[in-house]
């Protein structure tokens, strides 16, 4: 795959260009958020300034730049040519193999906000996944183990066009042999022991409440599924468990995840 080393810069030309073009419709007139302004232009400016986050604005600016007159051929057109070369590399490789195995990222997950002020460093984490997007291939990331800091690591399986079944079968085999869930189970058991007192208190409160109106909830917080407890009112349930994640109005079920 000789041209995949150019995938990252090519991707961050093509993707922002597409974002810039597609997001142009969100001007406050027909779609999405709308801000007030003294005139039409000010309304456009306020809407797009307030409605888009920093990363979206960054990509719109880059995309608008590479699509502008005088830079289209120098950036966007060349990136599309590189995209085709990358696809050709994969097509050639798949004449000899059924799937390609790579890391999902160069390292384990970084903390939220760690790379907020260094977007280029954040983009570099996509180095193994963007070639797949450019080539239009199916791929899947599966858990494969942990690093020295006990953070999960993933492996990426890349398949031939329209051959999703093969990579699904291979990913299942990897997951079984990686035995990733063992450590997850240990973590879960430890969590349950730490919160055992809380669990018992909640169960005691629920079971001691008198019966009058049945409301079903499902919650992994207490390792309980579809248990039915009876409360006098819905407000009493919410007082004990807090606001539900989801309410089924048809079956009158409150779900807690």
């Amino acid at each position: 795959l000789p041209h995949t080393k150019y995938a990252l810069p090519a991707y961050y030309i093509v993707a922002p260009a597409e974002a810039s073009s597609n997001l142009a419709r969100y001007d406050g007139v027909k779609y999405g958020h709308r801000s007030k302004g003294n005139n039409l232009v000010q309304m456009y400016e306020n809407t797009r300034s307030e409605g888009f986050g920093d990363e979206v604005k960054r990509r719109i600016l880059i995309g608008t730049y590479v699509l502008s007159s005088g830079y289209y051929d120098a950036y966007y057109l060349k990136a599309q040519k590189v995209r085709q070369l990358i696809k050709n590399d994969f097509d050639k490789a798949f004449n000899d193999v059924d799937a390609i195995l790579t890391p999902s990222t160069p390292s384990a997950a970084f903390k939220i906000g760690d790379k907020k002020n260094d977007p280029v460093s954040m983009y570099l984490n996509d180095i193994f996944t963007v070639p797949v997007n450019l080539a239009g291939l199916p791929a899947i990331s599966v858990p494969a183990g942990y690093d020295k800091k006990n953070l999960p690591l993933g492996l990426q399986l890349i398949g031939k066009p329209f051959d999703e079944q093969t990579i699904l079968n291979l990913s299942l085999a990897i997951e079984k042999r990686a035995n990733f869930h063992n450590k997850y189970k240990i973590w879960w058991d430890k969590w349950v022991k730490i919160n055992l007192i809380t669990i018992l208190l909640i169960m005691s409160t629920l079971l001691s409440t008198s019966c009058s109106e049945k409301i079903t909830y499902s919650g992994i917080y207490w390792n309980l599924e579809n248990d039915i407890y009876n409360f006098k009112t819905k407000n009493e349930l919410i007082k004990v468990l807090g606001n539900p994640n989801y309410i089924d109005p048809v079956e009158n079920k409150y779900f807690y995840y």
Side-chain angles (χ1 to χ4, degrees):
L1 303 172
H3 295 97
T4 52
K5 60 184 178 182
Y6 305 115
L8 201 64
Y11 176 84
Y12 279 104
I13 289 174
V14 174
E18 293 177 352
S20 173
S21 177
N22 290 333
L23 295 176
R25 73 187 74 178
Y26 293 97
D27 54 11
V29 176
K30 294 182 179 179
Y31 302 97
H33 174 75
R34 178 169 185 164
S35 299
K36 295 181 179 179
N38 295 327
N39 52 57
L40 184 63
V41 174
Q42 192 178 77
M43 188 272 288
Y44 284 161
E45 293 175 347
N46 293 342
T47 295
R48 293 175 69 81
S49 295
E50 295 176 8
F52 294 135
D54 291 340
E55 180 59 30
V56 177
K57 292 176 185 176
R58 186 181 296 115
R59 296 197 180 203
I60 289 174
L61 288 171
I62 295 172
T64 303
Y65 178 79
V66 300
L67 290 175
S68 61
S69 178
Y71 296 101
Y72 181 91
D73 292 343
Y75 292 103
Y76 185 74
L77 190 60
K78 283 186 178 179
Q80 290 287 19
K81 290 179 179 179
V82 171
R83 182 180 193 174
Q84 185 60 48
L85 292 174
I86 292 170
K87 184 181 183 303
N88 294 343
D89 287 346
F90 276 106
D91 291 341
K92 186 177 179 181
F94 282 127
N95 290 329
D96 302 317
V97 300
D98 295 312
I100 297 171
L101 183 68
T102 73
S104 296
T105 57
S107 63
F110 48 85
K111 291 182 180 179
I112 296 175
D114 263 10
K115 300 184 183 295
K116 184 178 181 181
N117 297 321
D118 188 5
V120 175
S121 176
M122 184 169 59
Y123 296 162
L124 289 173
N125 280 274
D126 298 334
I127 193 167
F128 295 118
T129 55
V130 293
V132 181
N133 296 326
L134 289 173
L137 299 172
I140 187 172
S141 178
V142 295
Y146 296 85
D147 68 357
K148 293 180 179 179
K149 296 182 179 179
N150 206 31
L151 292 172
L153 299 171
L155 287 174
Q156 177 183 228
L157 273 165
I158 307 169
K160 299 177 183 179
F162 306 107
D163 192 21
E164 286 85 353
Q165 191 59 57
T166 296
I167 61 170
L168 288 172
N169 293 342
L170 290 171
S171 64
L172 178 61
I174 289 175
E175 281 194 338
K176 287 181 178 179
R177 283 156 182 76
N179 215 10
F180 180 83
H181 291 290
N182 274 0
K183 189 164 287 190
Y184 177 83
K185 185 178 179 182
I186 292 170
W187 171 87
W188 175 255
D189 289 344
K190 183 179 179 182
W191 186 91
V192 170
K193 290 175 183 176
I194 293 172
N195 292 274
L196 184 58
I197 296 175
T198 304
I199 295 168
L200 293 173
L201 286 172
I202 292 172
M203 291 180 67
S204 175
T205 303
L206 293 173
L207 292 171
S208 63
T209 310
S210 60
C211 304
S212 122
E213 182 180 3
K214 290 185 178 180
I215 300 174
T216 303
Y217 82 93
S218 173
I220 63 168
Y221 287 163
W222 308 283
N223 198 21
L224 303 169
E225 286 188 52
N226 298 325
D227 295 298
I228 298 178
Y229 295 96
N230 298 302
F231 294 85
K232 293 180 180 178
T233 64
K234 294 180 182 179
N235 290 336
E236 187 174 341
L237 177 141
I238 294 173
K239 185 177 180 181
V240 175
L241 297 177
N243 290 321
N245 297 89
Y246 172 71
I247 300 174
D248 185 338
V250 178
E251 298 186 12
N252 195 31
K253 291 183 177 180
Y254 281 34
F255 292 90
Y256 291 81
Y257 304 117

